[in-house]
Amino acid sequence: MSFVEYSEFIQEGDVAIIFLGHDSMMPVKVQQGAQTQTRYGVVRHSKDLIGQRFGTKVTCSKGGWVYVLHPTPELWTLILPHRTQILYTTDIANITMMLELKPGSVVCESGTGSGSLSHAILRTIAPTGHLHTVEFHQQRAEKAAEEFREHRVDHLVTVRNQDVCKEGFGVTGVADAVFLDIPSPWEAIRHAKNGMKRQGGRVCSFSPCIEQVQKTCEALADEGFEEISTLEVLLRVHDVRSITLPLPDFGSDRPLETPTDTPVPSNASVLCKTTTPPRDMAGHTGYLTFATKPSV
Amino acid sequence: MADNGDDDSQHRVNEGDYVVLKRGDIYKAVQIQKKKKTVFEKQWFFLDNAVGELYGTTFEVVTDGKLQPRKPKHIESSADAKEAGTDNRNIQDDGKSQKLTRDDIETLKEQVQQLIENSTTFRDKTEFAQEKYIKKKKKKYENSVMVLRPSCRILAMMYHGREPGKICHLRYDTLAQMLTLGNIHAGSKVLVFETCAGLVLGAVIERMGGYGSVVQMYPGGGPVRAGVESFGFPSHFHDTLHEFPICHVNALLAGTLDTEAKDIDTNAGQANGDKSNLTQTDPEKAEGKGGSPDTEDQSMETSTSTDPAEDKEREEREKRREIRAQEKIVKTEEKRKKLSAAAGVLKGRNADGLVIASRFHPCPVLLGLIKFLAPSRPFVVYSQYKEPLIECYSKLREQGGAVSLRLTDSWIRHYQVLPNRTHPMLLMSGGGGYILSGTTVATDTTKAKTCSTTAEEPAAKRLKLTETTEG
C-alpha cells in the first residue's frame, strides 16, 4: 500500500480505510494484534485485515459488516484530521489540470495545511516528480512530514518550515508549477516566480475573498505573468430517488347516478426515478486564479 | 541564479512537433511542417520560423505569411487615455462617430491608434470605456499568434470551444473531475471507453506518464485517436497503450475468446485459413468487397480496351492486388497480436481504474466493463445527460459490487478581474455533463452467481413469455 501505488493485499503497517457508509469512513493503521472499534463491532487486524484483499467485506463481532478500502487521496480528503481548512476534491481536480501536473512535475506549494492537496499532487507527479511544500506553522509542518512517511510518499516531498512570503520556497528555478493557499498570496508572487523554471510554468492561487484575488492579479501582472484567469467551480450532488406522484381523480364522465354517491379516493399514482438536490450545498469555497510564467 | 541547467532544447519547438496555436481564447492544434500553409482565425501563415523558438513565444504575422517573434511586450501606454470624460451623458449613437471608411480601416488594420484619433467620441468616453474600445479594436486587428506546447488543459479547452459535439459536450472542468475521481496515476492499469475523439484517452495517458498500461476499449472497426495525436506524446508512451474491441468483451468474459489463430477482422471470413489460404482468397475478396466503383471501373475497362496496354495494366493490377493481400496479412497478424496482448492485460480482471465517456448508453458499458476491475478501485462514467446515469446508479445498487456511488455535475464561472471592474463574466457555460463515480468492492460469491448476466437473461425472457401467454 502506498498513496501512489495500488497493492492487492493488506499488509502490516498499511493505512487502510474502513468504510461504514458513504459519510462514515475511518482510517486505520494496520498492526498485528491491534483492534479497531466500529459501530458494527470490533475489527481484529491480525484476522480481519492482514493478508486480506483490499475491497473485501469484513464481518465484525456484532454481526455487522464493513468494507476495507485501499487509500486514495480522494478518500483521504474525506477523512483526514483537520488542522486547517482544507481543499476538497472539486477544487483539487481543477487545480491539478490547470497547473498541468503529471508524472515528473516539480511543484511548489504553500501552505501545507492539513495536506489534502499535497496528497493529490504527490499522487499525480509520482514516481519522478517532487513536491516542495512550505508551512510556517511548525507543528503542522511536523505533522505533515510524519503523515507523508506513514503514507510512504516521503521520498517525493520536502517539507520546509518557513514563511513563504519572506523566505520563499527554499528552491530556485526548479518548479513547473506553484500553488498558493495563504492569506496574502500577493506577497508571495515574487517568490513563486523565483521558484519556477526559467522556461516558464503555471501558477495558481486559492483565495476565498475577491479583494485577495484583486491584489493577487495585480501582483501577477506586475511580475510579468500572462494568461491571468480567475474562476470558481462548484460541485452539485444529485441524490437519486424513486418518487411517487399521485394522480388526481377527475371523476367519471357519466352523470352521477345517485346523489348520495360519494367519490371514492383513487390510489392511482406514477412512480418515477429522479434526482433531488441536497438541501444545502457548498456555495463557495474560493476563487482560483491561474497564470502562466512566460519563458525568458 | 541557481538554475536547473541550460537545457533549453526540450523547451524549443522542433519540426514535426504537435503544437497548439493561440490567439485570445481561441486555440488550434497543428503539426509543425516546413512550408505548410496554416490557416488560423481567418489568417494564413507558415510555421517555419517557429522552429527553434521557445514554447510560449508570441509571433507577429508579417509579409508573405512569415512569423516573426514579437519583441518584449510593449507596456500599454496610458498616454492614450490622458484626456477622458467622466460619464456618457453627451455621447450620441448616430453611427457616424468613426469618420474613416471601411477601405481606410482595411489599409490601417493594425493601427488602432488611427482609429482612436479619428473617433470623435473617444475623448468623451470614460477611461474604462476608452480601454475597452482599444482592447476591442486591438483584438479585431491583432495579427499575433502564440505557439504552445499541447497539454490536457489546452486541448480540453480547445475541443470544448471548437468542437464540443465531437467530445459529447464534455467540459474541461468535468474532465478534470474524472481524472481525479478515477485516481488516474502512473503505474496503474486503466480501462478507457470513450467516443470523445481520443481527448479522454490522451488525458489519461498524460496522467500515466508512460508508466503502467491503458487499455482502450473501442466500438466499431477501430479505435479513434485523433485527439491523442495532438498531445504529441513521446513514442515510448504508445507502448503502454493497448486496444480491445468492445464486441469481444462477452467472449473474453465467458472465456471463449480465441486469440490464437482466429482472424478477428469482423468482415473477413477466412477464420480458419492459414497463410497460403489467405493469399489465395484475399484478392478475390478484395475485388468483391471493393464496392461498386471498383467493379464498375473494371467492367468498363474490359469492354472498351482493345489495345495492348490492357495486358500491362492487368499485370499491374495483379501486382497491386498481391501487395494489398500481403499488407492485409501483415495487418491481420498485427491485429491478432494486439488483441491477444490486450486480452492478456484484461484477463486477470485486476484493472485499477475505469473511465467511460461516450455517446453510447453508459449502463451496459459500465456493467460490462466493471467486471474487469479489481476490488477497491475507483470508476467514473461521464454522460451528457443525467437520466442514463440514474439508471446506472439504480442497477449498480441492485447488483452490488460498488460503494460510494455519487452522481454529480460541476458548475464553472469565470471572472473578469480589473481595477474597479471585477465581476463574473457575462457569458458562462450552461452545462458540462454529468458524472457517476464510485468504488468497487468484492462481491459475495453466492450473490455474484445469481447476478451474472447469463443467469439473468433467460429468466427475464421466460418471464415475458409467461406474461404474454397469460394475457
Side-chain angles (χ1 to χ4, degrees), chain B residues 29-70:
Chain B
V30 295
Q31 190 182 16
I32 302 271
Q33 283 170 309
K34 287 245 160 133
K35 290 178 185 153
K36 182 150 188 281
K37 202 178 202 173
T38 307
V39 180
F40 179 50
E41 285 291 284
K42 295 179 205 157
Q43 206 167 31
W44 61 268
F45 45 83
F46 297 96
L47 288 163
D48 299 45
N49 286 350
V51 174
E53 299 292 337
L54 286 170
Y55 273 102
T57 305
T58 302
F59 297 89
E60 304 279 353
V61 183
V62 292
T63 46
D64 302 329
K66 274 191 185 143
L67 294 183
Q68 194 173 58
R70 187 151 80 181

Side-chain angles (χ1 to χ4, degrees), chain A residues 67-85:
Chain A
Y67 284 109
V68 51
L69 300 180
H70 196 290
T72 66
E74 287 61 53
L75 291 174
W76 182 247
T77 290
L78 297 174
I79 53 176
L80 59 84
H82 284 214
R83 303 182 283 270
T84 55
Q85 271 274 34

Side-chain angles (χ1 to χ4, degrees), chain B residues 116-127:
Chain B
I116 294 166
E117 278 166 15
N118 288 285
S119 167
T120 53
T121 49
F122 186 82
R123 261 168 260 279
D124 297 328
K125 286 178 200 269
T126 63
E127 195 184 329

Side-chain angles (χ1 to χ4, degrees), chain A residues 30-44:
Chain A
V30 180
Q31 281 166 323
Q32 281 288 357
Q35 296 190 343
T36 302
Q37 289 289 343
T38 73
R39 69 175 122 103
Y40 300 115
V42 173
V43 177
R44 290 181 180 81

Side-chain angles (χ1 to χ4, degrees), chain A residues 4 6 55 70 74 90 94 100 103 123 128 172-173 198-199 214 227 230-234 236 238 273 275, chain B residues 2-4 8 22 151 153 177 180 183 211 376 378 386 394 407-411 413 415 418 422 442:
Chain A
V4 297
Y6 282 118
H70 196 290
E74 287 61 53
T90 312
N94 280 283
E100 304 187 338
R123 175 265 316 275
T128 48
T172 311
R198 187 164 46 86
Q199 297 90 351
Q214 193 96 47
E227 288 189 276
T230 299
L231 56 91
E232 147 178 69
V233 185
L234 293 178
R236 289 195 293 197
H238 305 265
K273 278 245 156 75
T275 66
Chain B
D3 218 306
N4 63 320
D8 268 352
K22 184 189 185 217
S151 70
R153 165 181 77 100
Q177 303 299 321
T180 296
N183 192 21
Y211 303 92
S376 195
K386 190 168 67 172
S394 310
L407 177 48
T408 59
D409 74 330
S410 60
W411 180 92
R413 187 162 193 162
Y415 285 80
L418 289 170
T422 297

Side-chain angles (χ1 to χ4, degrees), chain A residues 80-121:
Chain A
L80 59 84
H82 284 214
R83 303 182 283 270
T84 55
Q85 271 274 34
I86 64 159
L87 280 164
Y88 289 97
T89 297
T90 312
D91 284 320
I92 289 172
N94 280 283
I95 291 164
T96 308
M97 182 194 265
M98 293 294 176
L99 285 181
E100 304 187 338
L101 304 188
K102 55 189 180 194
S105 296
V106 177
V107 186
C108 289
E109 175 202 33
S110 187
T112 316
S114 307
S116 173
L117 175 67
S118 314
H119 280 83
I121 292 175

